[in-house]
Amino acid sequence: MNKLKKLPFFLPFAGCRGQCVYCDQRAITGVVKAPTPEDVRSVLKNIGEAREICYFGGSFCRFEERLIKEYLDCVTEYAPAGSKVRFSTYPGDLRDDALRSLVKKYPISRIELGIPTLDPSVLSACRREAEPAKIFEDITLLMRDSLPIGVQMMIGLPGQSAASSFDDLRALARVKGEERWELRLYPCLVIEGTELSRLYREGRYRPLTVAEAALWGGEFIELAISLGFVPIRIGLQETPSLASGVAAGPHHPALGELILAEAAARRMAKDSPRGPWHVPASERSRFSGHKNFGLKRLAFHCKATLEEVAKNIFFDGQAGQKGA
């Protein structure tokens, strides 16, 4: 996996042909106007080391080809040597052979595909422009050209069930085979001013609670890891505009940690129902933080008491460094 430090540029709604019911990229990122290639160049001229230049938000490969090339040229012509580029786009945006050929000329570290779900009824409820069969065809084209893929997925969408989201993971795993795809998971939030906020206030959509998102997300991530996905982000990055814009849903500063704690507890209980468990010291807070959330979930999955699991968990592999 790429180890370069990321330098993100947010292009809210750029290239989008419609607006999904849950989406307001300006409220999420706090970026009102997308930076132009000239803006990007002015930043890249002044960075001192190789970076991973990221174009997030919107759908990068729905720009005019001239503009796509201009943004990509910024990286090769102005960023320090060794820099790479990452961007997010709809799965079908690289269907054109000529566009894929253009993109392949650049040092692409990852193409992140927005695939919140593959359930047709959920896609329709979200007003999301996508057809599952075509998504698989589009992914196959990218894989044929050896373009590195990542996926952005969601849970808690209108009409979505946990079972449906797990089916999505399994379907994508069958397509990717042995490849290890990066994964971002975003539990659905209700953002003020979106169509989803209206549905919520009309009682036609019930968002997940923090607890529900932690358990669903934890099972999702545990399954994803077992299928060869590499989680790199869980939950939206906190910004002042996001904090002020959330009307409802699992908005919590440590939601990602809660989800990872649930995923770890599920995995550990499967691997060794009675322990002992050896955990890196860096993950201690995942178990002991938030009122021992991780330890409690481990006890639940092991059908044991909190005291029993606390005696058998060791951090950094050293005896005497127990979790409670």
Side-chain angles (χ1 to χ4, degrees), residues 55-101:
Y55 296 117
F56 290 145
S59 192
F60 186 75
C61 287
R62 284 191 177 173
F63 302 157
E64 293 179 6
E65 186 173 315
R66 171 198 59 80
L67 188 56
I68 293 172
K69 186 176 186 304
E70 197 170 351
Y71 275 116
L72 294 176
D73 284 342
C74 289
V75 179
T76 54
E77 296 178 8
Y78 293 90
S83 294
K84 294 182 178 295
V85 62
R86 170 188 296 254
F87 60 79
S88 57
T89 199
Y90 279 77
D93 294 346
L94 281 160
R95 195 171 297 160
D96 180 74
D97 292 343
L99 184 54
R100 287 199 313 281
S101 295

Side-chain angles (χ1 to χ4, degrees), residues 94-101 104 111 113 135-149 175-176 179 181:
L94 281 160
R95 195 171 297 160
D96 180 74
D97 292 343
L99 184 54
R100 287 199 313 281
S101 295
K104 286 175 65 177
I111 298 174
L113 304 178
I135 289 174
F136 294 130
E137 293 174 6
D138 299 328
I139 290 173
T140 300
L141 288 175
L142 297 178
M143 293 179 68
R144 186 191 69 188
D145 283 358
S146 300
L147 288 165
I149 295 172
V175 175
K176 77 175 183 61
E179 290 192 16
W181 287 0

Side-chain angles (χ1 to χ4, degrees), residues 299-322:
F300 172 83
H301 290 297
C302 291
K303 297 180 174 57
T305 66
L306 183 63
E307 291 73 20
E308 287 171 338
V309 298
K311 289 178 181 178
N312 285 292
I313 188 168
F314 301 90
F315 294 97
D316 209 23
Q318 297 297 317
Q321 294 187 30
K322 297 183 180 179

Side-chain angles (χ1 to χ4, degrees), residues 198-219:
R198 182 180 67 80
L199 296 175
Y200 164 67
R201 290 193 166 84
E202 291 175 355
R204 297 164 60 192
Y205 170 71
R206 187 185 75 80
L208 297 178
T209 64
V210 170
E212 289 170 337
L215 300 192
W216 180 347
E219 187 170 359

Side-chain angles (χ1 to χ4, degrees), residues 150-188:
V151 289
Q152 301 174 358
M153 304 183 73
M154 297 182 70
I155 58 173
L157 293 167
Q160 187 184 33
S161 67
S164 168
S165 72
F166 303 152
D167 287 343
D168 293 343
L169 270 176
R170 295 186 185 99
L172 289 172
R174 287 192 292 271
V175 175
K176 77 175 183 61
E178 296 301 313
E179 290 192 16
R180 290 175 62 78
W181 287 0
E182 291 183 348
L183 166 70
R184 296 179 191 265
L185 177 64
Y186 298 115
C188 186

Side-chain angles (χ1 to χ4, degrees), residues 20-22 127 191 193-200 204:
C20 300
V21 297
Y22 51 78
R127 296 184 183 172
I191 306 297
T194 62
E195 176 70 8
L196 194 60
S197 68
R198 182 180 67 80
L199 296 175
Y200 164 67
R204 297 164 60 192

